[in-house]
Amino acid sequence: MGASLLRSPAFLGVICSFVTLCLLAEPALGVTRHYKFDIKLQNVTRLCNTKSIISVNGKFPGPRIVAREGDQLLIKVMNHVQNNISIHWHGIRQLRSGWADGPAYITQCPIQTGQSYVYNFTIIGQRGTLWWHAHLSWLRSTLYGPIIILPKRGIPYPFTKPYKEVPIIFGSGSLPISPLWSIDPETIISQALQTGGGPNVSDAYTINGLPGPLYNCSAKDTFKLKVKPGKTYLLRLINAALNDELFFSIANHTLTVAEADAIYVKPFETETLLIAPGQTTNVLLKTKPHYPSATFFMKARPYVTGQGTFDNSTVAGILEYEKPLNFHLSSNSIKNLPLFKPVLPALNDTSFATSFTNKLRSLASTQFPANVPQNVDRRFFFTVGLGTSPCQSNQTCQGPNGTMFQASVNNISFVMPTTALLQAHFTGKSYGVYNPDFPTSPLIAFNYTGTPPNNTMVSNGTKLVVLPFNSSVELIMQDTSILGAESHPLHLHGFNFFVVGQGFGNFDPNKDPTKFNLVDPVERNTVGVPSGGWVAIRFLADNPGVWFMHCHLEVHTSWGLKMAWIVLDGKHPNQKLPPPPADLPKC
């Protein structure tokens, strides 16, 4: 139904006969917004090298999606490249629109060369910063962009209205920085999966597609945030890096955290923040009251907990104040201004990471409540971590002791199907595609964060959990020390969840639940399982469909640290998944 019809007087008149307050009808309806994504090759030059990358509309990063809460989005994706493509709208709830969620072979077959697909969904009950990215292999290294959801008209932010809003999106591993990255990321992960070893790492990060002045031949490719004194800016931060959690700070400036994963939080001040791949954070930057006669670096670099190789570089942008009209300063003088640099935590500063994440609390106000499930219908305990599988005969493998690296949930490394799980579920043709018997806890218990067992082999399968509609779920995710403890940012599609508890060591089912926060826990779509620890989440399974859950470190996802949930239809028509659209891609 078109936006013009939705807003027509005749249509509104019909609605007004059913509601008491007719004035509420129009703002609640939203509008229909159309976008066109042409997936095509584009030459990009960075660090004195030019490389052809897969892009949306020739842009890197890709175009921003802007909408209001309640709007319908129709995004036509046309594939002009040789790779199969699918796009995920990260953090969008997709209530009863699972066909538009985007992960390849989970909710759809990918869009093949020369084909198109219209992603059709409505933004229900959400406002804030989210993002979109490719969801097939490592294509998201260059296919990503912001989603900005404004509140409904007339509804203010629960904080001071900012003078200006600026998306800042961190990326990695997609530029022609060295011979390593003259190979495209698709080839890098393909080679790693064949050899069983760890993939080559990116050796640069970017801010809004720009590596910044700390890399060779890159001074001209620097993100500059130009600000006025005495103003408040809303920075919409997005971590689109492939494999790295990041610390971020702006020299000599304090940031006020106001939102995480498109959910308002109780505001708190910090000089540095931590953001994991997949996560978004909105911060308020209050500039200095007077022109400071200085410029300021903003920097991001990784938080590292694992034992593998990583990109130990730093990306920088510049915060630059506009000089007053009566202030005489030549361009040479600007270059000679003092440049202040922030001090970021140590690479492995888990203490800071823990302290920062513990400060995140839902706003939990009357207008923006935290509807934490107080009772639990289904309880799950999942181990998440690394493992191995045997090297195939007549092959030399580069994983631990000649094996192949794997990753798993409850020791099951997920095998991607060759047809979409949602179609198989919806049509009742699941035999041979998946098994609905994913274990609720590890089949063999062990000292998860202690001395690892000698046997590090994982099993393989396409196993799913089946949940009745509207069941309340509690999930404990436990890191393991197998091949080294490591932080894992876990992303759940189709839902937000409440982070009711977290800790280090092994989860204690008798003691730890007594400390759960069931009043104002932070509500997210992506959460870091602490290195050598556990996290507890709760959510309501109120969205019928098949929903992917996976580590947002792309290398771990490739190794199998992923699984999926089936949420069954409810009894009423508005609790059932509609049939697939006619243009749903075919495998």
Side-chain angles (χ1 to χ4, degrees):
M1 188 177 291
S4 57
L5 174 58
L6 283 173
R7 294 197 301 274
S8 71
F11 188 75
L12 285 174
V14 174
I15 289 183
C16 289
S17 66
F18 290 98
V19 296
T20 310
L21 296 173
C22 183
L23 290 175
L24 295 179
E26 188 174 3
L29 287 171
V31 301
T32 301
R33 300 180 188 270
H34 296 263
Y35 285 86
K36 179 124 185 271
F37 277 19
D38 282 305
I39 311 294
K40 59 184 183 179
L41 294 176
Q42 178 69 32
N43 282 343
V44 170
T45 301
R46 296 288 187 276
L47 299 98
C48 296
N49 289 286
T50 300
K51 175 182 172 185
S52 181
I53 66 168
I54 299 176
S55 75
V56 171
N57 301 346
K59 295 181 178 179
F60 173 69
R64 71 180 69 164
I65 298 284
V66 181
R68 286 193 183 274
E69 178 185 348
D71 287 354
Q72 179 189 22
L73 287 172
L74 295 172
I75 305 169
K76 183 175 184 179
V77 177
M78 182 76 202
N79 184 8
H80 303 281
V81 299
Q82 294 304 306
N83 305 68
N84 285 345
I85 294 292
S86 74
I87 304 290
H88 170 52
W89 318 96
H90 184 113
I92 297 287
R93 283 287 321 268
Q94 299 292 1
L95 287 161
R96 298 180 62 239
S97 57
W99 305 106
D101 190 41
Y105 303 108
I106 306 297
T107 60
Q108 66 168 92
C109 299
I111 306 166
Q112 299 179 33
T113 306
Q115 302 297 308
S116 67
Y117 179 47
V118 176
Y119 290 90
N120 179 355
F121 56 91
T122 299
I123 300 167
I124 301 171
Q126 293 184 277
R127 81 295 303 165
T129 304
L130 295 171
W131 63 300
W132 59 264
H133 60 83
H135 212 301
L136 178 58
S137 190
W138 283 27
L139 290 169
R140 76 172 179 87
S141 64
T142 59
L143 291 174
Y144 62 82
I147 300 175
I148 296 168
I149 308 170
L150 301 171
K152 292 179 181 178
R153 288 196 182 277
I155 297 181
Y157 294 128
F159 46 78
T160 304
K161 184 180 180 181
Y163 172 72
K164 194 174 181 182
E165 303 185 5
V166 183
I168 293 180
I169 188 160
F170 305 107
S172 70
S174 51
L175 302 171
I177 289 149
S178 69
L180 183 157
W181 282 107
S182 62
I183 309 169
D184 70 281
E186 290 300 279
T187 305
I188 287 170
I189 186 56
S190 175
Q191 290 173 349
L193 294 176
Q194 287 174 7
T195 64
N200 287 327
V201 296
S202 135
D203 49 8
Y205 302 103
T206 56
I207 296 177
N208 290 352
L210 302 170
L214 302 184
Y215 297 105
N216 291 331
C217 192
S218 185
K220 65 180 176 49
D221 292 323
T222 299
F223 172 71
K224 288 187 178 180
L225 176 58
K226 298 191 175 182
V227 297
K228 294 181 177 181
K231 302 289 186 185
T232 298
Y233 291 77
L234 178 64
L235 308 184
R236 297 176 175 271
L237 308 177
I238 301 164
N239 187 350
L242 286 176
N243 293 304
D244 297 283
E245 300 184 61
L246 296 169
F247 294 121
F248 174 75
S249 182
I250 301 176
N252 293 26
H253 287 74
T254 299
L255 303 172
T256 301
V257 178
E259 178 194 300
D261 288 0
I263 298 287
Y264 296 131
V265 298
K266 290 184 172 69
F268 66 92
E269 292 186 348
T270 185
E271 292 181 358
T272 303
L273 60 86
L274 175 67
I275 184 167
Q279 291 182 338
T280 64
T281 307
N282 279 7
V283 297
L284 296 168
L285 166 68
K286 194 168 185 180
T287 57
K288 299 186 179 301
H290 306 291
Y291 181 71
S293 297
T295 55
F296 306 88
F297 260 160
M298 59 178 76
K299 284 185 177 182
R301 79 167 184 201
Y303 164 55
V304 181
T305 55
Q307 298 178 0
T309 55
F310 62 93
D311 176 359
N312 186 16
S313 66
T314 302
V315 62
I318 294 176
L319 182 74
E320 190 175 283
Y321 279 75
E322 290 184 18
K323 62 180 187 293
L325 291 174
N326 59 353
F327 200 90
H328 299 291
L329 198 65
S330 68
S331 57
N332 270 344
S333 301
I334 292 174
K335 290 178 183 174
N336 294 329
L337 287 175
L339 174 62
F340 290 95
K341 302 173 183 178
V343 178
L344 290 167
L347 291 166
N348 62 349
D349 195 341
T350 294
S351 173
F352 175 88
T354 306
S355 171
F356 177 80
T357 53
N358 283 340
K359 291 176 186 172
L360 293 165
R361 299 291 180 97
S362 287
L363 200 54
S365 64
T366 305
Q367 188 177 9
F368 302 105
N371 296 315
V372 190
Q374 299 296 308
N375 300 301
V376 175
D377 300 320
R378 301 285 303 274
R379 283 187 163 83
F380 298 89
F381 180 87
F382 290 177
T383 55
V384 295
L386 304 185
T388 59
S389 64
C391 194
Q392 296 171 0
S393 56
N394 303 322
Q395 185 182 347
T396 301
C397 290
Q398 296 173 6
N401 301 315
T403 62
M404 301 183 77
F405 269 115
Q406 298 278 277
S408 68
V409 181
N410 275 354
N411 207 47
I412 298 169
S413 185
F414 190 83
V415 177
M416 291 296 281
T418 53
T419 187
L421 295 176
L422 185 57
Q423 272 176 293
H425 162 64
F426 188 84
T427 58
K429 298 177 180 176
S430 63
Y431 183 77
V433 179
Y434 67 82
N435 291 312
D437 59 353
F438 192 91
T440 58
S441 59
L443 298 179
I444 300 173
F446 61 98
N447 182 2
Y448 304 113
T449 55
T451 304
N454 292 328
N455 183 2
T456 61
M457 296 292 174
V458 302
S459 61
N460 297 279
T462 310
K463 295 176 182 287
L464 280 66
V465 171
V466 180
L467 295 171
F469 181 81
N470 238 19
S471 51
S472 55
V473 176
E474 180 178 283
L475 168 62
I476 313 297
M477 289 183 282
Q478 171 76 60
D479 183 35
T480 77
S481 58
I482 297 174
L483 302 183
E486 190 164 355
S487 174
H488 298 278
L490 263 291
H491 172 49
L492 175 61
H493 290 228
F495 299 93
N496 285 336
F497 49 75
F498 293 95
V499 184
V500 297
Q502 60 182 10
F504 291 100
N506 297 341
F507 175 73
D508 186 329
N510 297 314
K511 294 180 181 177
D512 288 326
T514 62
K515 303 171 202 162
F516 284 178
N517 175 8
L518 303 180
V519 178
D520 64 348
V522 68
E523 185 180 350
R524 314 203 66 134
N525 62 59
T526 305
V527 66
V529 178
S531 177
W534 54 270
V535 68
I537 66 172
R538 287 187 180 184
F539 66 96
L540 191 66
D542 59 354
N543 196 5
V546 176
W547 305 107
F548 207 21
M549 190 177 83
H550 59 93
C551 184
H552 226 281
L553 301 180
E554 215 58 43
V555 61
H556 292 173
T557 302
S558 300
W559 286 340
L561 208 165
K562 48 196 173 188
M563 54 82 65
W565 308 77
I566 295 175
V567 177
L568 300 175
D569 281 348
K571 294 178 182 177
H572 305 293
N574 65 348
Q575 299 173 339
K576 299 180 188 298
L577 178 70
D583 65 338
L584 187 73
K586 295 178 172 56
C587 286

